[in-house]
Amino acid sequence: VADIVPLTGEDRSLVRAGLERIRWGRRQGLVSLAQVAGVDINRITAGDIGFMLGPRLNAAGRLDSALAAYRLLVTDDLKEVGLLAQQLDDQNRDRQKLTQKMVAEADEQIERQGPVPLLFAAHPAFNPGVVGLVASKLTDSYYRPAVVAHQGDEVTRASCRSIPEFHITHALDECADLLVRHGGHAAAAGFTVRNEHLGELVDRLQAIADRELGNLDLRPELRADMEIQLSELLPEYLPWLDQLQPTGMDNPDAVFVSRDLRITRARTVGADHQHLKLVVTDGRIWYDAIAFRQGHWYERLPERIDLLFQFERNEYNGRESLQLNVRDLKPADRSD
């Protein structure tokens, strides 16, 4: 799940059975990690692994040694698992802050470069364990392939993320004569290059990206399964949606569109006001909505919007409610 393997066929069956095992709560380390992450171990989903547990287990290896994550998974000592779970949670917070700092530095470098088909940022202070996360965030923000690298004294080690229109590993294959080593797949890759070849490598990758992407109108595609009136979205649908679990790569959650909704309340939440909380209505029913990483809409929200969302349960402080998890929003088209 955490490595984004397609959740189809046998893989999906294995993950479904594995989630059921985790819900038994017999592995104390996972129980403790779920507690510090705010996850109900009895109702854990693939999404909880991908966004809550996985990042905390990975944080240890990104910033220090992965042994703490390993010990958490194998020990039965209740005192030790409590300390280790808290340590991993703290390291994950440190990793988040470091990622934000590196993204800001990478953004500055990219702005100085001007419009380019492939994003590139490198710095001697970039943490090698976090460059892949930074590249992923840049790709999400700009919808361009991105390369983020740690520059050492003699070699530069980089992590790459890409978009469906550009096979990043094929691009690296074309530059293999400059590289010490490289590998990956269509969407993600990594490489090591000697510093004296770095400038030429970046120029060649930019030329390849311009060749492949220069004539394309690059925009992310958003998929919806059906359009539905908000008042037709019933709680009774949730058990049916649960049957789709576990969802993930190549087996996504059901996504809906509702149009011409009126916003009755809006506020930003989270660090740096990065998330947006809404209450929306079609005039017959009201729903809470959360739009992660879309706080930038707050100052320019129209009165009426179209929403692309997932329908889900929200558990907070022991209370359960229904909410719309917003994937995207735009001003409503009321021309008709």
Side-chain angles (χ1 to χ4, degrees):
V1 174
D3 206 32
I4 320 180
V5 170
L7 289 191
T8 57
E10 185 179 33
D11 287 342
R12 180 171 177 269
S13 298
L14 289 169
V15 170
R16 190 182 186 98
L19 287 168
E20 187 61 34
R21 283 291 185 93
I22 293 175
R23 292 181 190 123
W24 293 354
R26 294 180 181 175
R27 194 171 289 272
Q28 188 57 46
L30 285 178
V31 173
S32 296
L33 190 64
Q35 288 174 344
V36 300
V39 172
D40 182 356
I41 197 75
N42 298 308
R43 300 176 66 173
I44 191 170
T45 66
D48 292 329
I49 293 176
F51 293 103
M52 306 298 285
L53 302 191
R56 286 168 170 79
L57 290 171
N58 284 338
R62 292 187 184 279
L63 300 184
D64 187 14
S65 164
L67 283 175
Y70 170 73
R71 290 203 309 272
L72 179 84
L73 295 176
V74 299
T75 185
D76 293 323
D77 186 318
L78 294 181
K79 182 178 180 180
E80 184 182 21
V81 296
L83 293 173
L84 288 171
Q86 189 58 58
Q87 175 185 334
L88 293 178
D89 190 58
D90 292 342
Q91 286 181 317
N92 189 56
R93 294 179 192 277
D94 292 341
R95 189 271 308 163
Q96 290 173 329
K97 294 176 182 177
L98 180 60
T99 302
Q100 291 174 354
K101 182 178 179 180
M102 289 171 57
V103 167
E105 168 63 29
D107 277 330
E108 290 182 8
Q109 293 188 30
I110 290 166
E111 291 299 321
R112 291 195 295 268
Q113 296 167 16
V116 289
L118 179 142
L119 311 176
F120 177 81
H123 198 282
F126 279 178
N127 187 304
V130 183
V131 290
L133 299 177
V134 176
S136 180
K137 288 185 177 294
L138 293 178
T139 296
D140 289 344
S141 296
Y142 293 89
Y143 201 70
R144 295 292 187 275
V147 178
V148 180
H150 164 74
Q151 285 182 297
D153 294 335
E154 297 182 358
V155 298
T156 293
R157 293 181 173 87
S159 189
C160 318
R161 297 294 184 271
S162 196
I163 56 179
E165 295 87 347
F166 188 73
H167 196 304
I168 186 62
T169 300
H170 285 175
L172 292 175
D173 289 342
E174 292 190 41
C175 305
D177 57 302
L178 297 176
L179 300 173
V180 177
R181 64 181 67 89
H182 73 286
H185 52 80
F191 66 80
T192 299
V193 60
R194 299 195 66 81
N195 290 340
E196 59 263 31
H197 295 146
L198 180 61
E200 182 182 355
L201 173 66
V202 174
D203 289 344
R204 282 169 60 174
L205 287 174
Q206 293 287 13
I208 295 168
D210 186 59
R211 181 190 73 204
E212 299 293 327
L213 304 174
N215 295 323
L216 301 180
D217 181 16
L218 293 176
R219 301 183 187 185
E221 293 186 356
L222 298 174
R223 175 195 57 82
D225 293 289
M226 69 176 296
E227 184 171 333
I228 189 170
Q229 294 288 333
L230 205 61
S231 53
E232 297 174 353
L233 197 64
L234 304 176
E236 290 80 3
Y237 293 164
L238 284 170
W240 293 99
L241 295 176
D242 288 341
Q243 294 300 310
L244 301 176
Q245 299 296 326
T247 56
M249 176 62 69
D250 292 347
N251 180 39
D253 286 294
V255 179
F256 303 94
V257 169
S258 290
R259 301 189 186 278
D260 197 25
L261 304 179
R262 183 167 59 89
I263 299 173
T264 62
R265 195 179 313 155
R267 61 188 175 96
T268 56
V269 296
D272 300 321
H273 306 282
Q274 60 181 323
H275 310 309
L276 182 67
K277 286 275 288 184
L278 302 171
V279 177
V280 295
T281 181
D282 63 355
R284 288 174 286 182
I285 193 170
W286 283 255
Y287 269 111
D288 291 332
I290 177 70
F292 292 108
R293 295 180 295 280
Q294 298 190 58
H296 56 86
W297 272 105
Y298 180 71
E299 298 294 340
R300 54 192 180 96
L301 275 173
E303 182 180 351
R304 291 185 175 272
I305 58 175
D306 295 341
L307 280 188
L308 182 79
F309 62 89
Q310 295 165 213
F311 186 39
E312 64 183 21
R313 301 177 185 87
N314 177 47
E315 294 185 29
Y316 185 72
N317 287 339
R319 298 179 58 186
E320 183 176 285
S321 60
L322 303 179
Q323 74 174 7
L324 314 180
N325 189 328
V326 178
R327 301 283 299 278
D328 195 30
L329 64 88
K330 70 179 186 67
D333 182 3
R334 310 195 75 196
S335 57
D336 55 350

